[in-house]
């Protein structure tokens, strides 16, 4: 495979449209608004993370914005993602929801704005609002979350822009091979949410065995597997030590055999909802 793996935390992948996105970031789902999310974001920035992924429905955009301001990292070094929630989909509602997110974050623009779930009958119109936000320079890149191939097909057929990113549930029990191949062919960057399966995958004997062989934690093995598969990853944690060790995945490499053993753990099993019946 002729892919050079990212070799440091600041390494980026170039999205369609030329925007550089870090391969690795901090997810803040379930991080409580206020001190908890602020401390997590500040710790991540201190350890060299530059990508932070939030969403309107997480109800912690204000905390993320405060932490960013207090950390004092230059805005152009940061990559901030947020998402429009299902209740706010539709053209005008999406534009309003975006302004609200922007104001909570206290930013002039967002690096990546995503449709959180494919709400039937709404997501095409929502996407057209995202296209406008991008044209107006309020977001640098636009994408989707939890879109299956049929959702992406409809979007591509009915609108002018192919999503730059598709953020989906992705881990060794849900390897999404067909979706990954589809996205690769169309220049859509796959991004993993719940890469550690909310901790469940860390007990898997194969993962533990490979971790032992490398003198690494099971989490580091899974996150490294993401990167070697060309998948951007945003593990969520509010524990400083975990945030630091999650990102310590750039100075070792899994062998092709180890990659295959991890791929073989697939069961097409989700810990989150199925996008078709959400």
């Amino acid at each position: 495979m002729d892919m050079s793996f990212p070799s440091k935390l600041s390494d980026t992948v170039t999205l369609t449209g030329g925007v550089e996105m870090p391969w690795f970031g901090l997810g803040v789902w379930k991080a409580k608004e206020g001190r908890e999310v602020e401390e997590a974001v500040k710790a991540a920035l201190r350890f060299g993370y530059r990508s932070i992924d939030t969403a309107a429905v997480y109800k912690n955009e204000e905390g993320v914005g405060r932490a960013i301001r207090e950390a004092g990292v230059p805005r152009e070094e940061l990559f901030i993602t947020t998402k429009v929630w299902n209740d706010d989909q539709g053209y005008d509602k999406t534009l309003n929801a975006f302004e609200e997110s922007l104001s909570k974050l206290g930013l002039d623009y967002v690096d990546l704005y995503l449709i959180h779930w494919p709400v039937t009958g709404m997501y095409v119109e929502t996407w057209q609002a995202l296209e406008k936000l991008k044209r107006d320079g309020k977001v640098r890149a636009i994408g989707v979350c939890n879109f299956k191939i049929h959702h992406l097909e409809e979007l591509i057929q009915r609108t002018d822009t192919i999503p730059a990113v598709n953020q989906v549930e992705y881990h060794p029990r849900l390897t999404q091979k067909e979706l990954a191949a589809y996205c690769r062919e169309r220049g859509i960057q796959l991004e993993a949410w719940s890469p550690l399966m909310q901790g469940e995958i860390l007990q898997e004997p194969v993962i533990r065995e490979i971790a032992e062989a490398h003198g690494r934690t099971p989490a580091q093995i899974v996150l490294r597997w993401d990167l070697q598969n060309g998948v951007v990853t945003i593990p969520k944690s509010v524990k400083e030590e975990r945030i630091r060790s999650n990102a310590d995945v750039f100075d070792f490499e899994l062998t092709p055999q180890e990659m295959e053993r991890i791929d073989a753990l697939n069961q097409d099993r989700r810990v989150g909802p199925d996008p078709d019946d959400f």
Side-chain angles (χ1 to χ4, degrees), residues 1-268:
M1 204 173 162
D2 174 38
M3 209 183 80
S4 55
F5 306 131
S7 60
K8 54 187 188 304
L9 185 50
S10 58
D11 280 354
T12 56
V13 57
T14 307
L15 304 177
T16 322
V19 172
E20 304 273 317
M21 177 181 193
W23 278 102
F24 203 93
L26 177 74
V28 297
W29 178 59
K30 282 192 171 167
K32 286 198 267 313
E33 173 59 284
R35 180 128 187 250
E36 185 172 85
V37 77
E38 288 169 37
E39 294 301 322
V41 170
K42 284 187 201 167
L45 294 173
R46 207 163 51 243
F47 296 135
Y49 285 69
R50 290 298 175 260
S51 170
I52 309 292
D53 177 281
T54 184
V57 78
Y58 300 170
K59 305 262 187 279
N60 58 19
E61 289 169 314
E62 289 174 31
V64 168
R66 258 194 313 276
I68 288 168
R69 283 190 297 282
E70 289 173 17
V73 175
R75 173 64 183 98
E76 61 278 8
E77 283 183 26
L78 297 172
F79 191 93
I80 308 300
T81 301
T82 192
K83 315 177 189 87
V84 57
W85 184 241
N86 306 349
D87 301 343
D88 292 323
Q89 288 201 34
Y91 191 81
D92 292 327
K93 284 177 81 176
T94 296
L95 294 177
N96 292 336
F98 174 79
E99 291 303 335
E100 196 174 322
S101 283
L102 197 62
S103 128
K104 284 182 173 167
L105 286 160
L107 299 174
D108 299 327
Y109 66 92
V110 165
D111 297 277
L112 178 62
Y113 197 44
L114 302 173
I115 299 180
H116 210 145
W117 290 89
V119 176
T120 310
M122 298 293 268
Y123 59 79
V124 170
E125 205 184 308
T126 302
W127 185 246
Q128 287 161 339
L130 267 62
E131 290 178 312
K132 175 176 167 49
L133 291 168
K134 186 170 186 291
R135 279 196 305 275
D136 294 348
K138 297 193 166 183
V139 300
R140 294 174 64 225
I142 54 177
V144 295
C145 302
N146 305 303
F147 273 47
K148 291 185 169 182
I149 291 173
H150 71 92
H151 299 118
L152 292 167
E153 293 272 60
E154 184 182 8
L155 210 55
I156 290 168
Q157 280 159 14
R158 293 183 54 193
T159 65
D160 301 326
T161 322
I162 294 181
V165 171
N166 185 15
Q167 185 187 118
V168 297
E169 181 179 343
Y170 178 92
H171 46 68
R173 292 267 183 247
L174 184 69
T175 57
Q176 305 258 32
K177 290 279 189 217
E178 199 187 338
L179 179 64
Y182 178 91
C183 288
R184 213 171 14 253
E185 278 160 27
R186 283 156 190 78
I188 302 169
Q189 176 60 51
L190 206 61
E191 180 178 18
W193 63 258
S194 212
L196 304 174
M197 227 180 152
Q198 296 169 31
E200 190 184 321
I201 197 68
L202 306 179
Q203 303 310 316
E204 166 55 49
V206 171
I207 303 281
R208 298 183 77 95
E209 189 187 315
I210 295 171
E212 220 156 282
H214 285 272
R216 296 285 168 162
T217 67
Q220 288 167 338
I221 296 302
V222 176
L223 297 169
R224 179 71 204 182
W225 171 81
D226 285 355
L227 297 175
Q228 286 186 217
N229 274 322
V231 176
V232 167
T233 189
I234 43 167
K236 175 257 159 178
S237 181
V238 292
K239 298 187 175 72
E240 185 167 335
E241 181 42 44
R242 188 81 44 77
I243 291 169
R244 191 193 59 71
S245 84
N246 280 348
D248 190 10
V249 290
F250 295 95
D251 57 350
F252 74 100
E253 207 171 295
L254 299 171
T255 66
Q257 293 76 12
E258 289 170 332
M259 290 293 289
E260 279 166 23
R261 288 185 71 196
I262 298 173
D263 285 351
L265 297 171
N266 181 52
Q267 300 171 343
D268 293 331

